[in-house]
Amino acid sequence: MDSIYADYSISMTEFKKNPAQVLRTAGEKPVAVLNHNRPAFYMVSPKLFEAIAEELSDKNLLELARQRLMRKDSAIEVDIDQI
């Protein structure tokens, strides 16, 4: 059994009949589009997609910062008064 990460789901057949209506009905919520009762893809609004992309970007930057903080042997001294 597959997990479905959406409050709404719809069959591929029903989705193909009127995708714009599915988007309007869902509003800002994601919709799982199912093919043979398994998630084939998720439909999300541009606003939600942007939020997801931003979250992933922040996560990547946080990991990069953590990696750099661990490299104390290559650290440089910064004089804040000179900034």
Side-chain angles (χ1 to χ4, degrees):
M1 175 175 269
D2 294 332
S3 296
I4 297 178
Y5 301 101
D7 293 337
Y8 301 112
S9 64
I10 190 168
S11 71
M12 183 76 74
T13 303
E14 288 299 312
F15 176 78
K16 287 194 282 186
K17 288 179 184 177
N18 194 345
Q21 179 60 42
V22 175
L23 184 59
R24 280 191 298 275
T25 301
E28 292 298 319
K29 300 276 189 175
V31 177
V33 180
L34 309 177
N35 187 23
H36 300 288
N37 292 322
R38 298 181 72 162
F41 64 92
Y42 290 89
M43 181 189 69
V44 296
S45 68
K47 182 178 178 181
L48 181 56
F49 186 84
E50 183 179 326
I52 292 168
E54 185 75 24
E55 188 71 26
L56 288 172
S57 177
D58 288 351
K59 183 178 177 186
N60 290 338
L61 286 174
L62 179 61
E63 182 57 33
L64 179 61
R66 284 183 178 148
Q67 290 172 5
R68 289 180 178 175
L69 285 170
M70 290 174 48
R71 293 188 286 176
K72 293 179 182 177
D73 60 325
S74 63
I76 59 170
E77 188 175 329
V78 176
D79 186 356
I80 296 178
D81 294 330
Q82 298 295 323
I83 298 178

